[in-house]
Amino acid sequence: LKKSAIITNDIVLVLPLMFLCSVCLQVMGLSTPGQAEITSLDSGNIDDILNNAGVALVNFYADWCRFSQMLHPIFEEASNIVREEFPDTKQVVFARVDCDQHSDIAQRYRITKYPTLKLFRNGMMMKREYRGQRSVTAIAEFIRQQQVDPVKEMHSLEELNALDRGKRNIIGYFDKKDSESYHTYEKVANILRDDCTFLAAFGAVSESERFSGDNVIYKPLGENIPDMVYLGSLTNFDLTYAWAQDKCVPLVREITFENGEELTEEGIPFLILFHIKEDTESLEKFQQEVARQLISEKGSINFLHADCDKFRHPLLHIQKTPADCPVIAIDSFRHMYVFPDFKDVNIPGKLRQFVLDLHSGKLHREFHHGPDPTDSTPGQEDLGGVAASSPPESSFQKLAPSETRYTILGRDRDEL
C-alpha cells in the first residue's frame, strides 16, 4: 500500500493511503460504516433475486471500463446509506452484473454501454434507467423517491375538482385497500409513476363510483373530454397494465433535453413535429394523422414533437427557423429529411409514404442522386446521375449517451 505521513505534535504517523481516503470520505459524509451489500447476479440467481425484490438497482459493468471502475465505490457507499434507511433486504436490493462474465444476461437486457444502471420492480425491468448524477447522494435520493407511494389517496371526491388536467390522471375506486384489485392497481402505478398521476378512493368515499364493483377510469388531458373506463379484470395485471400504459404513454411523445438520451438510445429513427409551444392545433393534427396513417409503424420509428424555440439548432440543420414552424422531419441518426409541406399532412397516405421512403432507402437515395426514375418527369432521368444534394447530418444523434460518461459498445446502423 502507498503510505502517507501525518505530523502531529512532532510525532510522525505513517498511515496507509486507503485508510486516509476512508477517513476523508466519512468526514465528508460520503461513507457509512459497514460492508456494502452488493449482490452479484448470475444466470442461476438473477430471476429469484429480482422477482423477490420490491425495488432493485442493478449495475451492469465491465471491469476494464474506467467509468465502471469509478462507479464501484460510489455504488457501494450509496448501498450502505440506503440499507440503513431501508433495512428490509427484500425492500431494496443493490446488485451488479459482470457483463464480461455473464454476456448472456447483458444480451437479455440489451446492454449497449457501461456502466448501465437499470431499475427493476418485482422482477420487471423499468423502461427508464438511472441516468442521473453518479454521486452517493444522488443515487441514494433516487432510491428514496422510488419508495414514495405512487398512489395518492383521496379523502373526498371533491378533490377531483382540483385535478391538474394538464397531466394524465388515472383514478381507482375501491371497496378496500387490502384487496387483489387494489394490489394490481398499485403495482401498475409503481411502473407508470413517471407517466401518469394515480389516485384512489376507498370505502364510503368511493361508493358512489362503484356501481358494479371496483372501478378505474382515465381522465384525458384537457377539459370537457369524457372519462375512459377500464372494462377489463382488475385482478389481471397484464390487462390492467396494457390499458394503463396505452393511456399514460402517448403515441406522440414530447422530446426534451431531459429525455433525449433515453429516446435516442431506443435506436429507432425519429419522426418529429417541430412546433411553437402554444400551437396545439398543429400538434393535434399531427397526432391524429400519426394515429390514422402510421399506427402499424409503431416500433420501427418514434413519433415525437419538439418545441421550436428550444430545438432551434436541429431546425438550422435543415435550413429552417422557428418562423417556419410547424415543420415535420425525420432524423435517422445519420441524416435528417424534411417533409415537403406541413399542409399536406392530412392527405391520405402522404405521411405514411414519407416514412416508408425512409425504410426503403428512397429518401437517402434521392438526396444523393435526385428523384427516382419512376418519379421523374420526362427527360429528368437523363441528368447523368448528378447528385441533387447531400442530406443534412443527424442532429439528435448528439443527444445519445456520451463517450465522456460511458463506454459505448459497437453498434452498426443501416445507411439511411
Side-chain angles (χ1 to χ4, degrees), residues 328-340:
I328 296 174
I330 284 175
D331 191 317
S332 73
F333 299 146
R334 293 185 72 91
H335 300 297
M336 294 187 72
Y337 308 96
V338 183
F339 185 72

Side-chain angles (χ1 to χ4, degrees), residues 80-312:
N80 284 338
I81 290 175
V82 170
R83 178 63 60 240
E84 286 191 347
E85 295 181 27
F86 305 101
D88 182 347
T89 55
K90 289 190 175 180
Q91 186 177 2
V92 179
V93 170
F94 274 68
R96 59 188 167 205
V97 175
D98 182 334
C99 293
D100 279 344
Q101 296 293 321
H102 305 288
S103 58
D104 55 327
I105 297 178
Q107 290 173 7
R108 173 179 171 182
Y109 292 108
R110 299 180 181 178
I111 303 303
T112 59
K113 63 188 186 309
Y114 302 136
T116 293
L117 294 178
K118 287 193 175 289
L119 183 72
F120 293 78
R121 289 187 178 277
N122 303 113
M124 179 178 284
M125 184 179 74
M126 300 296 95
K127 188 171 184 181
R128 291 186 176 91
E129 63 190 54
Y130 178 77
R131 298 175 188 271
Q133 186 180 359
R134 289 178 191 157
S135 72
V136 173
T137 303
I139 293 174
E141 180 58 27
F142 173 73
I143 294 299
R144 287 189 199 103
Q145 291 302 316
Q146 303 308 311
Q147 299 302 310
V148 175
D149 191 338
V151 181
K152 178 189 175 186
E153 182 175 351
M154 296 185 298
H155 300 285
S156 165
L157 294 187
E158 291 180 3
E159 293 178 36
L160 292 174
N161 298 327
L163 273 188
D164 182 354
R165 296 307 297 267
K167 295 182 178 178
R168 293 175 171 81
N169 296 283
I170 291 185
I171 304 160
Y173 301 99
F174 302 93
D175 180 24
K176 53 188 178 181
K177 228 177 200 181
D178 186 17
S179 66
E180 192 177 351
S181 295
Y182 180 68
H183 291 325
T184 300
Y185 182 77
E186 192 176 35
K187 189 175 177 182
V188 169
N190 257 316
I191 295 170
L192 295 172
R193 61 167 61 211
D194 295 328
D195 302 296
C196 264
T197 299
F198 288 84
L199 302 99
F202 303 94
V205 176
S206 67
E207 190 172 4
S208 63
E209 296 293 331
R210 289 185 285 108
F211 337 103
S212 56
D214 292 346
N215 184 32
V216 171
I217 66 166
Y218 166 66
K219 286 187 175 294
L221 295 171
E223 303 289 343
N224 304 319
I225 301 174
D227 296 342
M228 303 175 73
V229 181
Y230 173 59
L231 300 175
S233 168
L234 272 170
T235 58
N236 186 315
F237 168 77
D238 291 335
L239 285 178
T240 309
Y241 173 68
W243 179 84
Q245 185 185 42
D246 181 62
K247 304 298 177 283
C248 294
V249 183
L251 184 61
V252 178
R253 296 175 285 177
E254 181 177 11
I255 185 168
T256 64
F257 291 112
E258 288 71 33
N259 68 4
E261 180 180 285
E262 171 192 333
L263 290 170
T264 303
E265 200 175 8
E266 289 180 15
I268 55 177
F270 292 170
L271 176 68
I272 311 172
L273 168 69
F274 295 93
H275 66 106
I276 302 298
K277 187 177 181 180
E278 294 73 23
D279 180 13
T280 56
E281 183 181 343
S282 295
L283 175 57
E284 287 175 11
K285 186 180 293 185
F286 181 67
Q287 290 169 328
Q288 290 168 3
E289 293 306 320
V290 166
R292 184 177 294 128
Q293 300 184 40
L294 291 167
I295 194 71
S296 63
E297 295 301 312
K298 186 180 179 181
S300 66
I301 192 163
N302 264 325
F303 310 119
L304 306 170
H305 67 100
D307 185 327
C308 271
D309 287 317
K310 291 181 180 177
F311 286 91
R312 287 171 177 262

Side-chain angles (χ1 to χ4, degrees), residues 318 320 327-330 336-341 354 363 367 392:
I318 54 176
K320 302 287 184 182
V327 172
I328 296 174
I330 284 175
M336 294 187 72
Y337 308 96
V338 183
F339 185 72
D341 192 335
F354 182 55
L363 291 181
F367 258 107

Side-chain angles (χ1 to χ4, degrees), residues 52-69:
N52 287 289
V55 168
L57 187 63
V58 182
N59 175 16
F60 292 85
Y61 71 95
D63 275 332
W64 49 264
C65 164
R66 67 187 178 97
F67 301 112
S68 295
Q69 295 165 8

